[in-house]
Amino acid sequence: MSQVYPECEDVSAQAIVDEQYCCATATTLTVWSKSLLFAGEGFTVFDSNGNLLFRVDTFDDLLLMDAQGKPLLTLCRKLPSLHQRWEGFLGDKVDGQKPLFTVRKSSILPTKNCVQVFMNCGFFWKPCADYEIEGSFSQRCCTIYANSPRIPAAKVKRKCGAAGTMLGKDVFSLCIERGFDQAFIMGLIIVLNQIDTDLSLVRMVVEEFRGSEAVTEPPQPQ
């Protein structure tokens, strides 16, 4: 269900997950790549006032929850897929539930960084993506664009500390423009992190293979 806010006349505020997460004004979230509850992969997300907004823990699937632990989105890897395809489901996924959105890389090549998002596509593929993500998430420098019209929805940036020093990549800023659903955007960040992790493993294997090919046999005595 979409709702248009008076403060966002130039941007249609889309309540994709929940209208309470649509930004009436631009906001910056702080994302920490750690779980508060488990000693493993996850995310902890704070709002601009330092309050806990979202948390992400890894169970069988990836689950985005609010501060109280209510499931907002379930993110599932779609196998098999050469395009690193993921699906997002509203709330805690149940059997037979259709995906709310699908995310995939635009190319199977690991050097191509563009990621596409298709909304409510079901079993049919759309010719054009509803959102596109460009840049390098691994470097914490990428932008999420909404298409039709093409406008920036959110940006991932490195975060600076109080003394102006650049913090590590495990803590970064997520700057979300007004009129966009913070929970949905955070869901895309979760998928981006998984895609980037998978691609890092692929690059590592490729580099090791190239390194082994570069080893030449010792010269034969003449």
Side-chain angles (χ1 to χ4, degrees):
M1 178 178 180
S2 297
Q3 176 177 350
V4 179
Y5 289 81
E7 300 92 334
C8 307
E9 293 180 355
D10 58 329
V11 178
S12 179
Q14 295 186 356
I16 296 173
V17 176
D18 194 311
E19 63 183 21
Q20 67 173 307
Y21 297 118
C22 284
C23 311
T25 59
T27 187
T28 298
L29 308 181
T30 297
V31 183
W32 183 36
S33 304
K34 297 289 182 182
S35 170
L36 282 179
L37 300 180
F38 301 99
E41 293 185 1
F43 287 100
T44 304
V45 185
F46 302 94
D47 64 18
S48 56
N49 297 318
N51 300 314
L52 179 63
L53 183 62
F54 303 123
R55 55 183 242 237
V56 180
D57 293 316
T58 303
F59 300 102
D60 292 334
D61 295 312
L62 295 171
L63 195 63
L64 173 68
M65 297 172 284
D66 66 10
Q68 288 71 45
K70 175 186 175 182
L72 301 175
L73 281 174
T74 303
L75 292 312
C76 305
R77 189 191 305 270
K78 185 70 174 178
L79 295 175
S81 175
L82 294 176
H83 287 266
Q84 299 285 324
R85 186 177 169 190
W86 285 75
E87 293 179 331
F89 299 84
L90 193 60
D92 199 353
K93 180 192 173 187
V94 297
D95 291 340
Q97 183 177 352
K98 292 183 179 180
L100 182 65
F101 59 88
T102 298
V103 185
R104 69 164 196 169
K105 277 181 57 60
S106 62
S107 171
I108 63 174
L109 298 177
T111 55
K112 301 294 183 180
N113 290 327
C114 184
V115 174
Q116 298 173 314
V117 184
F118 300 85
M119 302 300 302
N120 300 314
C121 56
F123 299 102
F124 301 97
W125 203 251
K126 292 182 178 180
C128 299
D130 296 288
Y131 292 83
E132 289 184 327
I133 307 168
E134 297 180 353
S136 174
F137 178 75
S138 63
Q139 298 301 316
R140 303 300 186 254
C141 181
C142 62
T143 302
I144 301 173
Y145 292 96
N147 291 330
S148 302
R150 186 175 173 85
I151 53 175
K155 292 183 179 180
V156 173
K157 298 180 179 180
R158 294 286 299 273
K159 187 174 181 64
C160 292
T165 56
M166 193 75 72
L167 300 180
K169 294 178 183 178
D170 60 330
V171 180
F172 57 92
S173 295
L174 178 58
C175 308
I176 303 176
E177 298 295 334
R178 62 178 183 170
F180 292 97
D181 191 319
Q182 299 172 74
F184 168 65
I185 296 295
M186 189 58 212
L188 299 184
I189 296 300
I190 297 170
V191 174
L192 275 179
N193 179 69
Q194 293 298 312
I195 291 176
D196 181 69
T197 300
D198 293 342
L199 291 178
S200 295
L201 293 175
V202 171
R203 294 188 186 102
M204 186 183 303
V205 171
V206 170
E207 289 300 322
E208 289 181 354
F209 178 75
R210 288 175 176 173
S212 63
E213 280 193 329
V215 177
T216 57
E217 296 183 0
Q220 299 295 324
Q222 298 181 358

